[in-house]
Amino acid sequence: MSNNRGRGLQAGALGTFDTVVMAVAGSAPAYSLAATTAVLVGAVGTASPAALLYCAIPMLGIALAYSYLGRIDVNAGASYSWVGRTLHPFLGFMSGWALVVSATIFMVAGSLPAGSMTLALFDEQLAENTALSTVVGAAWFLLMLLVVLGGARLTVRAQLIMSGVELALLALFAVLAVFHTDNARVFDWSWLGLGQFDGVSGFASGALIAAFYYWGWDVTGNLSEETRNSRRTAGLAGLIGVGVVFLLFEVFTIAVNVILSSDQIRANEANVLAVLGEEIWPGWGGKLLIVAVMLSTVATLETTLIQVTRSLFAMGRDRTMPAALGKVHRTWNTPWVAIAVVGAVALAMFVASNALGSVGEILSDAISAIGLQIAVYYGLTGLAVVVAYRKMLLKSPANFLFGGLWPLFGALFMFWVFVESLGELAPAAIAIGVGGLAAGLVPMLWYWRRGSDYYRPAKLDATHTIETYYVPAGRPPEHVRAHEGLPTDF
């Protein structure tokens, strides 16, 4: 890449370990548990461990889809490129748009807790102040914006520190929770069974929230152009990330069921983990877990910024959004225009969100809305891998299961959750979720009319890519649009 300075993203900046850390940080275990446990318990009661378990199985199918697709098309747009080159460019654009909208909403929903957690370290009363939480959260957001602007290496160094401390604290409390004796309930295996849900719709609403818990590991796909040996590494890191956060989610949701009463969960809906920490280790526990949540929130703001800016970069490069978004900074090799635009939009939304109500209310609607958008682009990606590998699925049992059946199950599950939960959600959540997706029709049709090459794609077919990947000259043929190292400013 050195001969192309300032033109493409920084190839080879991240190794396997870095990418695994980004996948775990993307799912933000401490933040997800703190911000979402009360919402999940409100939806499914003590069945929250079951909701997370049964959502993990299809989620692994989607992670497999990312792994298999990443082997045949390295692209910062990930789902946006894959879906566009297999199913239809319109669906591909909507897949990328769903990620952009959900990530932008999340940056507002996520910055508020970052602010309130920081304030809670000094004074519990201050944390209740929505305006002050917004200001502190916005400061954290701007700091992460500068880190992401500084390049992939700086981003991953910051991530190693934040996520390292967060995971160490979570592991410590997971062990302490096992030995905790003052329990509100006795552990019950039925918490992991299907019988706890209030019918099919109850299960669907739990699954939608569970999808939000896991969301974020797919940042590895958006970092593929900056990862060494990314055809193997990015997908593997995503799978490991899902596995790690699944274990943490199960341990802590079971601990919440055992140790906390329903009243405690309801009274502390914006941060269940702090209360859990205080119960496990009075005096210090609450504060330490607040630190874990704060670091987790800031860390996931960083990975979300990467996802949204890399997706917009790919769209700008393909001229399906303003071409300026595809510009890369000559020194830092980061899509600086996309980063600046996202920063400006998110800061405007911070100001608007203050008019909407308390931190808890904003979070609840935002999480549900984001869940709808996640279901769309994960589902489309699950279908894309089946189409890309259709000629190879019967070549081996592994291809059939991991490249076909499991991702297809994941895709159908995501679409089912989307449809089922529409009947359960608050009007505000549906308006944000579906309205946000519908807004994407405007740029899609505009740039389609202007004749972007993205809308005339080279079809993604695993047989061609894999058969022709090792050509003697080392140059992939024209129908394999490998973007690694390509100049990206037109």
Side-chain angles (χ1 to χ4, degrees), residues 144-235:
M144 286 304 104
L145 201 71
L146 293 173
V147 169
V148 170
L149 187 62
R153 286 207 176 94
L154 175 63
T155 304
V156 95
R157 281 190 193 122
Q159 197 58 263
L160 287 169
I161 296 167
M162 295 184 293
S163 294
V165 175
E166 171 203 355
L167 292 173
L169 286 170
L170 286 179
L172 170 67
F173 278 87
V175 172
L176 292 175
V178 172
F179 296 106
H180 185 75
T181 50
D182 184 16
N183 298 335
R185 298 183 192 86
V186 179
F187 172 76
D188 187 342
W189 282 104
S190 73
W191 295 343
L192 294 166
L194 280 167
Q196 290 276 318
F197 295 102
D198 181 19
V200 172
S201 60
F203 175 70
S205 57
L208 188 75
I209 299 161
F212 176 81
Y213 270 83
Y214 289 107
W215 177 55
W217 56 265
D218 52 304
V219 66
T220 60
N222 301 102
L223 281 167
S224 60
E225 290 183 41
E226 295 154 273
T227 305
R228 289 192 290 283
N229 190 17
S230 71
R231 288 177 189 273
R232 188 187 70 86
T233 305

Side-chain angles (χ1 to χ4, degrees), residues 131-472:
L132 196 56
S133 296
T134 309
V135 172
V136 178
W140 274 120
F141 172 77
L142 286 172
L143 179 64
M144 286 304 104
L145 201 71
L146 293 173
V147 169
V148 170
L149 187 62
R153 286 207 176 94
L154 175 63
T155 304
V156 95
R157 281 190 193 122
Q159 197 58 263
L160 287 169
I161 296 167
M162 295 184 293
S163 294
V165 175
E166 171 203 355
L167 292 173
L169 286 170
L170 286 179
L172 170 67
F173 278 87
V175 172
L176 292 175
V178 172
F179 296 106
H180 185 75
T181 50
D182 184 16
N183 298 335
R185 298 183 192 86
V186 179
F187 172 76
D188 187 342
W189 282 104
S190 73
W191 295 343
L192 294 166
L194 280 167
Q196 290 276 318
F197 295 102
D198 181 19
V200 172
S201 60
F203 175 70
S205 57
L208 188 75
I209 299 161
F212 176 81
Y213 270 83
Y214 289 107
W215 177 55
W217 56 265
D218 52 304
V219 66
T220 60
N222 301 102
L223 281 167
S224 60
E225 290 183 41
E226 295 154 273
T227 305
R228 289 192 290 283
N229 190 17
S230 71
R231 288 177 189 273
R232 188 187 70 86
T233 305
L236 178 66
L239 287 162
I240 294 171
V242 172
V244 170
V245 295
F246 164 70
L247 291 173
L248 287 170
F249 291 157
E250 284 299 327
V251 167
F252 278 91
T253 45
I254 289 170
V256 165
N257 272 2
V258 169
I259 295 167
L260 300 183
S261 67
S262 309
D263 294 340
Q264 282 174 301
I265 297 168
R266 262 198 304 276
N268 298 279
E269 57 183 22
N271 187 12
V272 171
L273 267 198
V275 190
L276 184 69
E278 195 58 40
E279 283 285 329
I280 292 173
W281 185 356
W284 275 95
K287 284 273 192 282
L288 286 174
L289 278 185
I290 285 175
V291 170
V293 175
M294 185 186 80
L295 288 171
S296 178
T297 312
V298 176
T300 199
L301 280 177
E302 186 192 82
T303 57
T304 310
L305 269 167
I306 285 174
Q307 283 198 282
V308 72
T309 54
R310 295 313 186 265
S311 296
L312 286 172
F313 162 75
M315 289 169 149
R317 177 170 65 187
D318 290 343
R319 302 290 176 94
T320 58
M321 291 279 273
L325 294 170
K327 283 188 176 170
V328 174
H329 195 280
R330 293 195 171 275
T331 307
W332 300 318
N333 290 91
T334 49
W336 66 274
V337 178
I339 292 169
V341 168
V342 167
V345 170
L347 288 172
M349 286 172 66
F350 287 143
V351 176
S353 69
N354 256 303
L356 297 177
S358 76
V359 176
E361 286 165 16
I362 294 169
L363 275 181
S364 182
D365 283 342
I367 287 165
S368 300
I370 291 169
L372 289 173
Q373 289 153 356
I374 297 165
V376 168
Y377 86 85
Y378 276 177
L380 288 171
T381 310
L383 292 181
V385 73
V386 179
V387 175
Y389 277 84
R390 65 193 180 282
K391 295 173 188 167
M392 298 182 69
L393 293 180
L394 298 178
K395 296 258 176 93
S396 75
N399 274 6
F400 181 72
L401 178 61
F402 300 131
L405 195 61
W406 203 337
L408 179 63
F409 167 66
L412 296 175
F413 182 86
M414 293 296 161
F415 292 136
W416 172 77
V417 164
F418 179 91
V419 173
E420 273 291 324
S421 55
L422 283 178
E424 297 287 306
L425 291 178
I430 294 174
I432 298 169
V434 179
L437 286 174
L441 294 172
V442 178
M444 182 181 83
L445 295 171
W446 173 259
Y447 285 97
W448 171 64
R449 289 289 302 276
R450 295 188 64 176
S452 162
D453 280 348
Y454 174 82
Y455 294 106
R456 296 186 298 279
K459 284 291 183 191
L460 198 55
D461 184 335
T463 50
H464 293 164
T465 320
I466 287 170
E467 282 163 15
T468 55
Y469 184 43
Y470 299 105
V471 280

Side-chain angles (χ1 to χ4, degrees), residues 64-155:
L64 284 164
Y66 268 75
S67 174
Y68 271 73
L69 286 163
R71 293 177 194 178
I72 58 175
D73 182 21
V74 175
N75 192 299
S79 174
Y80 154 82
S81 172
W82 303 331
V83 174
R85 293 182 60 193
T86 50
L87 305 179
H88 193 279
F90 283 180
L91 290 174
F93 182 87
M94 291 313 290
S95 193
W97 182 260
L99 189 155
V100 168
V101 174
S102 54
T104 308
I105 294 171
F106 171 76
M107 283 183 290
V108 178
S111 296
L112 281 168
S116 60
M117 294 296 152
T118 309
L119 293 168
L121 287 173
F122 303 101
D123 183 356
E124 290 290 339
Q125 264 29 70
L126 283 177
E128 298 298 314
N129 185 329
T130 305
L132 196 56
S133 296
T134 309
V135 172
V136 178
W140 274 120
F141 172 77
L142 286 172
L143 179 64
M144 286 304 104
L145 201 71
L146 293 173
V147 169
V148 170
L149 187 62
R153 286 207 176 94
L154 175 63
T155 304

